[in-house]
Amino acid sequence: MSTRPAADAPPVRRARQGRARRRESLTALGMVSPAVFLLLLFFVIPVVLAFALAFTNARLVSPVPAQFTGLQNFRTLLDDPLFYKSLRNTFYFAAVVVPLQGGLALVLALLVNAKVKGVNFFRTVYFIPVVTSMVVVSILWTFMYQKTGLVNELISHLSLGLVQGPDWLNNPSTSMPAIILMSVWQGVGFHMIIWLAGLQTIPQDLYEAADIDGATRWVRFRYVTWPGLRTTRTFVLITITIAAFSLFAQVSVMTQGGPLDSTTTVVYQAVQTGYAQQQTGYASAISLVFFVLVLAVSLVQRFLTREKG
């Protein structure tokens, strides 16, 4: 009686398993290839091009080919007063928007997390600005911020005519706060949803135990809710910061960087330099410096919010 088929079974089985693994690998490769292609096309290649162009005198439209200029663009950048002003405006915007939007979104999430009738209506209302185009929102708020706009009319009625609102977008002292208010209103609903998702992952057993111990609402929040949101708050903090540093659409539509460059940001300066002034090399240098700054801030935030222990 021959035992050869039994001896041949393991190699045959291994061959079949190998073919199955290859088919799975090819299937996985086919599924991720569109995402990889888009990532290469819209992220990796532009970053590499920006890095290369930052060391040249390239222009957007020019019959003269680009020439390597070394660190000249960066030396010009260090002597550019507009860059320092735009950098200051960018950090000012981020320093106000990050805690204000994150904190307000958390408060709204705590309110809509309650199991009461009609809570879904308020969730929808708070989220509507998020799904509205930023350009549309900026245009609407531009009309509201006019001297005779809705904002000043409300101020006049609430103060019984004693206080007259300023020309918000044409005043250097109020233009950036006006953009900050609009940006927080537009983006708070998105981060409210993120906070809400984090709140619903906290086990209810912890709250029941806190209630048995007679904990107040503040104690429950401090020792149960806030620690349970560690991962969520890291995500919210980093996403708000990156979005704040990328401020462009609001400025482009509402103020065009004015008045007196009081709302010019690094991204807006880079776009204006690269397209309006056609200085592609210099704009790439601005973008490269900005990328390094945002990366550094994000890494610091990640380090400060890491899980210790």
Side-chain angles (χ1 to χ4, degrees), residues 273-288:
T273 303
Y275 289 94
Q277 303 173 17
Q278 299 190 8
Q279 299 179 24
T280 308
Y282 188 49
S284 298
I286 297 175
S287 301
L288 186 59

Side-chain angles (χ1 to χ4, degrees), residues 263-284:
T263 58
T264 298
T265 62
V266 177
V267 175
Y268 183 79
Q269 183 190 6
V271 173
Q272 285 295 105
T273 303
Y275 289 94
Q277 303 173 17
Q278 299 190 8
Q279 299 179 24
T280 308
Y282 188 49
S284 298

Side-chain angles (χ1 to χ4, degrees), residues 8-274:
D8 290 342
V12 172
R13 186 161 51 247
R14 285 195 296 267
R16 290 176 179 174
Q17 292 174 350
R19 287 193 295 270
R21 283 194 294 267
R22 283 194 294 272
R23 284 195 299 268
E24 291 177 356
S25 299
L26 291 175
T27 302
L29 182 61
M31 295 179 68
V32 302
S33 56
V36 173
F37 173 75
L38 294 176
L39 187 64
L40 290 173
L41 183 62
F42 293 106
F43 179 75
V44 177
I45 294 178
V47 168
V48 173
L49 286 176
F51 184 84
L53 293 174
F55 299 93
T56 68
N57 62 350
R59 297 185 62 85
L60 185 62
V61 179
S62 175
V64 180
Q67 296 179 350
F68 179 78
T69 58
L71 299 176
Q72 180 59 42
N73 287 328
F74 297 96
R75 285 193 289 265
T76 304
L77 187 62
L78 293 177
D79 295 331
D80 187 356
L82 181 59
F83 173 72
Y84 291 104
K85 196 166 188 177
S86 64
L87 192 64
R88 184 169 63 251
N89 291 336
T90 301
F91 275 96
Y92 167 43
F93 180 85
V96 177
V97 167
V98 172
L100 183 60
Q101 185 167 299
L104 182 58
L106 177 58
V107 172
L108 292 178
L110 291 171
L111 292 176
V112 300
N113 192 40
K115 296 180 179 179
V116 295
K117 188 176 181 180
V119 70
N120 289 331
F121 168 77
F122 291 100
R123 293 179 183 179
T124 304
V125 169
Y126 294 147
F127 194 74
I128 286 177
V130 179
V131 298
T132 306
S133 169
M134 178 59 77
V135 175
V136 174
V137 171
S138 299
I139 293 174
L140 291 176
W141 278 75
T142 300
F143 288 116
M144 292 170 58
Y145 277 137
Q146 290 180 352
K147 187 68 176 177
T148 57
L150 178 61
V151 174
N152 285 344
E153 288 295 325
L154 288 176
I155 293 175
S156 178
H157 279 82
L158 292 176
S159 63
L160 302 179
L162 298 177
V163 179
Q164 299 297 324
D167 191 358
W168 294 91
L169 299 179
N170 292 316
N171 189 331
S173 62
T174 59
S175 54
M176 184 58 81
I179 292 178
I180 289 174
L181 177 62
M182 186 273 290
S183 300
V184 170
W185 174 84
Q186 193 274 340
V188 71
F190 173 76
H191 295 96
M192 176 199 72
I193 297 299
I194 304 300
W195 283 120
L196 183 62
L199 289 171
Q200 294 180 352
T201 62
I202 301 175
Q204 290 298 318
D205 296 344
L206 298 178
Y207 290 109
E208 294 174 359
D211 291 337
I212 293 174
D213 292 338
T216 62
R217 290 187 176 182
W218 168 248
V219 172
R220 289 175 55 188
F221 175 81
R222 181 179 179 182
Y223 292 102
V224 179
T225 305
W226 189 244
L229 294 173
R230 180 187 299 274
T231 304
T232 304
R233 67 172 179 259
T234 300
F235 176 78
V236 169
L237 183 63
I238 292 177
T239 53
I240 295 179
T241 301
I242 294 175
F245 275 107
S246 303
L247 173 65
F248 171 76
Q250 302 94 303
V251 173
S252 180
V253 173
M254 301 175 73
T255 63
Q256 295 79 48
L260 301 176
D261 298 320
S262 60
T263 58
T264 298
T265 62
V266 177
V267 175
Y268 183 79
Q269 183 190 6
V271 173
Q272 285 295 105
T273 303

